[in-house]
Amino acid sequence: MDRERSEVNDIDRSLYDFRYEEKEGEFYRVKEGLTPDIVTEISKEKHDPDWMLDFRLKSLQIYNDLKVPDWGPDISGLNMDDIVTYVRHKTGMQATWEDVPEDIKNTFERLGIPEAERTSLAGVGAQYDSELVYHNVREEVLEQGVIYTDMESALTGEYADMVREHFMKLVPPTDHKFAALHGAVWSGGSFVYVPPGVKVDIPLQSYFRLNAAGAGQFEHTLIIVSEDADLHFIEGCSAPKYNVANLHAGCVELFVGKNARLRYSTIENWSKNMYNLNTKRAICEEGATMEWVSGSFGSHVSYLYPMTILKGNDSHCEFTGITFAGAGQNLDTGAKIVHTGERTSSFINTKSISKSGGESTFRSALTIKEKAKDAKASVSCASLMLDDISRSDTIPAMDIRTNEADVGHEAKIGRISDDAVFYLMSRGISEEDAKAMIVSGFADNVSKELPLEYAVEMNNLIQLEMKGAIG
Amino acid sequence: MALLEIRDLSVAVDGNPILKNINLNIGKGETHVLMGPNGAGKSTLGNVLMGNPAYEITGGSIYFNGLDIKEETADKRAKAGMFMSFQNPLEVPGITVSSFIRNAISQKTGEKIKFSEYRKELAADMEILDFDKAYKDRDLNVGFSGGEKKKAEILQMLMLKPKFAILDETDSGLDVDAVRTVSAGIEEYQKHEDGALLIITHSTKILESLHVDYTHVLVKGEIVADGDAALVDEINDNGFEKWTEREAK
């Protein structure tokens, strides 16, 4: 029988897609490509301490020795010889929005960042290309002793030793080729330190905007949450679309102290020419809780598997994720958990949606070490394909080394049901709205985890993706 | 002019003819019962009237309120005043019964109703159906028992106030008590909304307490008999043998 199949247009990205045409001489940038000279130039430009220059050059060596991964989506369209690894506006970082250059300020205003800061955030960092252009924290949070600053200041400031002690210790440059790349050319990002017992009631946020064509963004986020402390950190990312490849190879290192809690939420909406090869990792001490909320909507290709090491006894991790792959997108996302402590528990719950030929792969790796007695783990992933030309795969790997663990796994792959669409339409709801309602419902468990305004943004993204979904 | 006019309607699924030359008129406020053995095509007729795209109309026409609706999508038909209580209502995670119905009402009428009024009306209709109030805040049909799903269907009918409702096997799989409360809901619709009904059923349980104007018997895709409420009693006593045997000859 001839039934019309839904045809989904590309997302209307006008909100994210406006781009700011830079003026001559306004930005400082290095040459395309990756050489010891370029790495040295970046290091000098950033006034790195000496150890950091050594670190960068060693990382470059490791990068050159490592091979491109051969197990995930194709990244042959990414040529490092074409990528500019460092682009900075000449103004430098500001502490008030008024002082941020007009056009950059307009960009962040359109993205709603200053508005969010006024209404619902304890502190904001805004990165534009390679460096932060704005950083500010509320007075009462500073008074609690919380440090929230750009990585550059952190490297030489009061907490320089602490930063050096932790920097790329959780994700060493030897971890994989793009971690090595990050070690060589990283710039920007944030450092957060929450002292023992301090609970930060409202979230801190960093927003990363990559505006320059053919550039890479390599921000480093280092968060240390001390014993009994509590923090919610949010990161948002976007970029306008170009015809050339852009690269994001950030690195996030999270240290969650004894009985502390950290929630790390991400809404990633990179443009669809972006290679998102990001590495995120957390380590939990005794009784600590790590919560990830991850929404992946953008990029051309993503490799993203936030990892949690449950080192301390009784530590706990929850990972909630949603991935939405549309036309021209191949999003390989998931999570990794390593249980080493006793009575540790982890819970992975992900949803992925693919449409218009998009490919989404859920990939997880759960490891329970021999000494992790009485560990509990559950992995649940569900996929929804909106048409016949899209793809969805699940690759859940498990390595369980003890008999005294309780492990559960559930995977579901399905299509949007014509019967469900008809049911909703029979109540007077249009086909487009019916489909958006079904997709939103599918994504519901993730939206519930997000702060309200981000849940709204995610629903808007879904509505946008579904617009013109009628064949 | 009848509210619903079906003329010489023929329907196929995947190229196989299911309904042949159906003729049926349903007037405002009338209650019609469509009976027949399993596989006769009763649910197909309900689905076709509501606009399920899985069925293909191969001939004839459907008029609702004087307008040819054959080409209209289900949402347009609902906006025109049609409704169907599904045999197997679908689960809709992420939206509660209460907000779903409110959303559907505002889509249908193009107006937002006041929340306080809405809440009062919803509570009253749930009372009629002996429907636990807690269900209004649960995701639509998710984890509902068969009986609760059917109550949720009738609740939607009462709230959406259609001019014409199709009840597709609303009584199937229900126990005696559930049939009684669902019947009470249907009675409410007959009385207060002056709504027309096409009740599709293969048993007569649900009809015991309801007023019926006309009865039609569907066998192998054709209407083989029309009558009044007395025909229901006859089927209750003798089943469909009379017509199925004739078919067999």
Side-chain angles (χ1 to χ4, degrees), chain A residues 1 422-423 425 427 429 433 441, chain B residues 54 75 84 93 107 153 156:
Chain A
M1 202 198 77
F422 171 57
Y423 180 65
M425 287 177 74
R427 303 312 191 231
I429 291 161
D433 287 348
Chain B
D75 55 325
M84 181 161 87
Q107 290 241 8
E153 293 292 284
Q156 291 172 55

Side-chain angles (χ1 to χ4, degrees), chain A residues 1 3 417 419-420 422-431 433 437 441-442 444 448, chain B residues 14 47 51-54 74-75 78-79 83-84 86 90 93 100 103 107 141 153 156:
Chain A
M1 202 198 77
R3 193 174 308 169
S417 136
D419 288 341
F422 171 57
Y423 180 65
L424 296 175
M425 287 177 74
S426 78
R427 303 312 191 231
I429 291 161
S430 71
E431 184 174 354
D433 287 348
M437 205 179 258
F442 177 77
D444 189 50
K448 274 182 185 147
Chain B
D14 295 332
N47 274 276
N52 188 337
D75 55 325
K79 282 182 178 143
F83 178 89
M84 181 161 87
F86 279 54
L90 285 105
F100 176 72
N103 188 330
Q107 290 241 8
N141 297 330
E153 293 292 284
Q156 291 172 55

Side-chain angles (χ1 to χ4, degrees), chain B residues 17-50:
Chain B
I18 304 286
L19 296 177
K20 296 154 215 160
N21 297 314
I22 302 290
N23 284 288
L24 191 62
N25 286 345
I26 296 180
K28 190 165 182 268
E30 290 176 0
T31 297
H32 290 240
V33 172
L34 181 67
M35 301 192 75
N38 283 331
K42 302 188 298 293
S43 286
T44 298
L45 182 60
N47 274 276
V48 166
L49 293 178
M50 197 64 235

Side-chain angles (χ1 to χ4, degrees), chain A residues 61-135:
Chain A
Q61 188 59 50
I62 297 165
Y63 171 83
N64 287 327
D65 292 345
L66 287 174
K67 287 198 170 59
V68 170
D70 58 1
W71 43 267
D74 178 28
I75 53 168
S76 58
L78 175 68
N79 185 349
M80 277 313 294
D81 293 337
D82 297 334
I83 295 285
V84 177
T85 51
Y86 187 74
V87 184
R88 172 174 62 77
H89 194 275
K90 288 187 174 164
T91 321
M93 195 178 74
Q94 308 298 327
T96 61
W97 275 111
E98 286 69 45
D99 298 334
V100 173
E102 198 64 23
D103 292 312
I104 295 180
K105 195 164 65 187
N106 288 343
T107 302
F108 283 111
E109 263 162 17
R110 291 184 71 162
L111 294 165
I113 309 305
E115 173 65 25
E117 181 187 4
R118 280 192 293 274
T119 56
S120 52
L121 297 169
V124 161
Q127 177 161 345
Y128 195 86
D129 295 335
S130 297
E131 296 288 4
L132 275 85
V133 292
Y134 172 77
H135 217 287

Side-chain angles (χ1 to χ4, degrees), chain B residues 67-139:
Chain B
L67 295 170
D68 185 356
I69 56 159
K70 206 172 73 177
E71 303 294 328
E72 295 288 1
T73 51
D75 55 325
K76 301 275 170 48
R77 297 184 198 202
K79 282 182 178 143
M82 294 177 74
F83 178 89
M84 181 161 87
S85 163
F86 279 54
Q87 188 172 352
N88 299 306
L90 285 105
E91 302 197 351
V92 187
I95 186 156
T96 63
V97 169
S98 173
S99 56
F100 176 72
I101 296 176
R102 192 157 178 244
N103 188 330
I105 292 171
S106 67
Q107 290 241 8
K108 197 183 153 184
T109 60
E111 288 165 30
K112 279 236 158 85
I113 45 170
K114 265 201 192 147
F115 189 61
S116 54
E117 282 170 29
Y118 170 73
R119 212 166 48 176
K120 218 183 280 172
E121 196 181 332
L122 187 71
D125 285 343
M126 289 183 91
E127 185 74 43
I128 292 167
L129 293 166
D130 192 23
F131 200 1
D132 183 349
K133 301 283 181 297
Y135 277 80
K136 74 179 185 351
D137 298 318
R138 284 183 52 172
D139 286 359

